């Protein structure tokens, strides 16, 4: 299914395929490695490359991800002197460590520094990120996880680092007996647009396709279906309107690449609960994000001598700072692009 899934993601406007590397699959017994069939990581990366996309590896090898033992192989438990997730000689390297760092007291920060130093010294030629790690040492990049990183992320911990969102939860994992969490296409689009408006440079959907955790691969109480509410559902089929609405959003954002990459950002109030984020480039390129944070009613705002109607809890995108071509709360996709939004010229 790899080729088809990657192709659907690309058609949806995705540029990067992010994946974990599952240690317990690749080394089921000490020194016995398995990179065959479904576990052929190199083949998977080459398929991504063949379709013109980039890959982002979250190697862990502790990966969390609602995966049994967090990706650790069971035999690791029997290694003499083993202590998980701390500055411990038999095993090191991490993911989302900030969640547990304080529990290890003085050894926690030491472990973070060691992991960053080890990664950078491998000289891979590509950037390293630490997911949810506000104290990520330079040049490792600290990133955000969650549903509202445009509102909750404190930003990079150094001015020379980009603002990155490694997990934008498209729904949430489900446990046996629990109700599925339904996150709307409109809400996802709002927070993607807000993150971009606030100088965000990378957003990863967790999950864009979840799939199935067969056998005992899921962690305790987590059902076998994983993020079935993602833009590509458990079976790899398009889940509308999420897939189509996000595709339209991606098209609009990519068409604004010049001011977003080269322009100067400004932001200012355009109402009691409304804000404008504007990027202007010297040659005249301009894009504006008009934000209505009022979740109960429409807002009429004035921007550059024009009047715009913003739907509740929505962001209108103006690729030329004049015409609104997309609103995050107005779902239309496929053959009907969102160009009919009301714009009144004064």
């Amino acid at each position: 299914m790899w080729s088809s899934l990657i192709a659907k993601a690309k058609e949806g406007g995705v540029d990067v395929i992010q994946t974990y590397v599952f240690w317990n699959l690749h080394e089921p017994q000490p020194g016995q490695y398995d990179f065959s069939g479904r576990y052929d990581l190199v083949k998977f990366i080459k398929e991504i490359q063949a379709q013109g996309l980039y890959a982002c590896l979250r190697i862990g090898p502790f990966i969390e991800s609602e995966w049994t033992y967090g990706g650790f192989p069971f035999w690791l438990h029997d290694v003499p002197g083993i202590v998980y997730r701390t500055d411990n000689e038999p095993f090191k390297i991490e993911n989302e460590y900030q969640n547990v760092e304080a529990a290890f007291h003085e050894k926690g920060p030491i472990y973070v520094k060691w992991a960053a130093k080890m990664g950078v010294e491998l000289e891979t030629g590509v950037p390293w990120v630490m997911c949810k790690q506000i104290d990520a040492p330079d040049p490792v990049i600290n990133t955000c996880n969650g549903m509202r990183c445009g509102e909750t992320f404190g930003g990079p911990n150094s001015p020379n680092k980009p603002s990155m969102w490694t997990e934008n939860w498209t729904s949430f994992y489900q446990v046996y007996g629990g109700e599925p969490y339904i996150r709307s296409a409109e809400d996802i689009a709002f927070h993607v647009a807000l993150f971009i408006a606030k100088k965000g440079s990378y957003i990863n959907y967790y999950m864009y396709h979840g799939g199935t955790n067969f056998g005992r691969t899921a962690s305790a109480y987590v059902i076998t279906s994983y993020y079935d509410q993602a833009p590509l559902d458990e079976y790899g089929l398009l889940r509308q309107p999420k897939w189509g609405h996000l595709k339209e959003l991606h098209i609009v954002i990519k068409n604004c690449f010049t001011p977003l990459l080269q322009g100067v950002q400004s932001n200012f109030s355009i109402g009691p609960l409304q804000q404008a984020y504007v990027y202007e480039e010297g040659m005249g390129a301009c894009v504006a994000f008009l934000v209505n944070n009022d979740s109960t009613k429409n807002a009429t705002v004035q921007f550059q001598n024009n009047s715009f109607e913003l739907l509740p809890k929505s962001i209108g995108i103006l690729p030329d700072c004049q015409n609104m071509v997309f609103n995050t709360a107005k779902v239309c996709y496929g053959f009907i692009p969102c160009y009919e939004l009301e714009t009144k010229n004064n």
Side-chain angles (χ1 to χ4, degrees), residues 2 6 35 37 40-49:
W2 291 348
I6 294 168
F35 287 89
D40 192 339
L41 177 62
V42 173
K43 183 177 181 180
F44 181 70
I45 294 173
K46 286 185 175 180
E47 178 61 36
I48 294 170
Q49 181 188 39

Side-chain angles (χ1 to χ4, degrees), residues 83-342:
V83 180
Y84 294 142
R85 309 193 72 182
T86 186
D87 189 34
N88 172 69
E89 281 306 319
F91 164 75
K92 297 181 180 181
I93 304 182
E94 270 298 337
N95 174 48
E96 299 186 15
Y97 189 65
Q98 186 173 300
N99 293 343
V100 298
E101 182 177 351
F104 294 99
H105 306 293
E106 71 279 357
K107 288 191 175 182
I110 294 173
Y111 185 30
V112 171
K113 291 177 181 177
W114 173 87
K117 183 174 182 292
M118 183 281 302
V120 172
E121 287 182 349
L122 290 175
E123 297 182 353
T124 59
V126 297
W128 285 82
V129 302
M130 278 188 172
C131 178
K132 295 176 69 174
Q133 195 68 43
I134 60 174
D135 60 347
D138 289 342
V140 178
I141 303 163
N142 62 302
T143 71
C144 183
N145 287 3
M147 293 188 182
R148 299 178 293 276
C149 283
E151 296 174 346
T152 62
F153 187 40
N157 61 18
S158 175
N160 63 337
K161 298 178 183 180
S163 183
M164 299 177 66
W165 187 354
T166 34
E167 290 187 14
N168 180 6
W169 303 335
T170 55
S171 58
F172 205 67
Y173 68 85
Q174 189 177 347
V175 297
Y176 285 103
E179 293 292 327
Y181 182 90
I182 309 298
R183 189 182 182 199
S184 70
E186 297 93 323
D187 186 63
I188 298 172
F190 176 91
H191 290 284
V192 168
L194 184 63
F195 194 74
I196 295 294
K198 293 185 175 182
K199 301 184 179 180
S201 61
Y202 175 95
I203 299 171
N204 176 70
Y205 296 105
Y206 191 97
M207 306 284 292
Y208 196 81
H209 167 63
T212 309
N213 291 327
F214 296 102
R216 295 187 175 184
T217 52
S219 61
Y221 306 113
V222 175
I223 67 173
T224 56
S225 174
Y226 195 62
Y227 278 79
D228 184 49
Q229 297 294 323
L232 299 179
D233 71 10
E234 179 181 4
Y235 307 102
L237 303 176
L238 304 185
R239 179 171 287 282
Q240 299 289 18
K242 284 184 181 178
W243 186 87
H245 191 48
L246 293 175
K247 176 182 178 179
E248 293 292 336
L249 173 61
H250 300 156
I251 290 172
V252 172
I253 290 175
K254 288 179 181 181
N255 284 339
C256 304
F257 72 91
T258 298
L260 286 174
L261 294 177
Q262 301 176 19
V264 176
Q265 188 224 49
S266 62
N267 65 85
F268 47 89
S269 174
I270 51 175
L273 292 173
Q274 293 74 41
Q275 194 82 7
Y277 294 86
V278 183
Y279 290 81
E280 295 181 274
E281 190 262 340
M283 299 301 291
C286 181
V287 59
F289 298 81
L290 307 184
V291 183
N292 180 17
N293 285 304
D294 191 328
S295 60
T296 61
K297 55 188 176 183
N298 288 11
T300 301
V301 297
Q302 301 295 319
F303 177 75
Q304 292 197 357
N305 298 320
N306 290 330
S307 178
F308 298 94
E309 188 80 10
L310 299 176
L311 297 172
K313 198 63 177 180
S314 74
I315 299 177
I317 303 179
L318 290 63
D320 57 358
C321 287
Q322 293 293 323
N323 299 287
M324 187 186 300
V325 302
F326 185 87
N327 184 282
T328 59
K330 189 174 182 63
V331 175
C332 46
Y333 53 87
F335 298 105
I336 310 174
C338 303
Y339 295 131
E340 73 278 12
L341 298 170
E342 293 184 11

Side-chain angles (χ1 to χ4, degrees), residues 51-64:
Q51 297 206 35
L53 304 181
Y54 292 92
C56 176
L57 296 183
R58 292 175 66 176
I59 61 173
F62 179 83
I63 59 172
E64 186 63 62

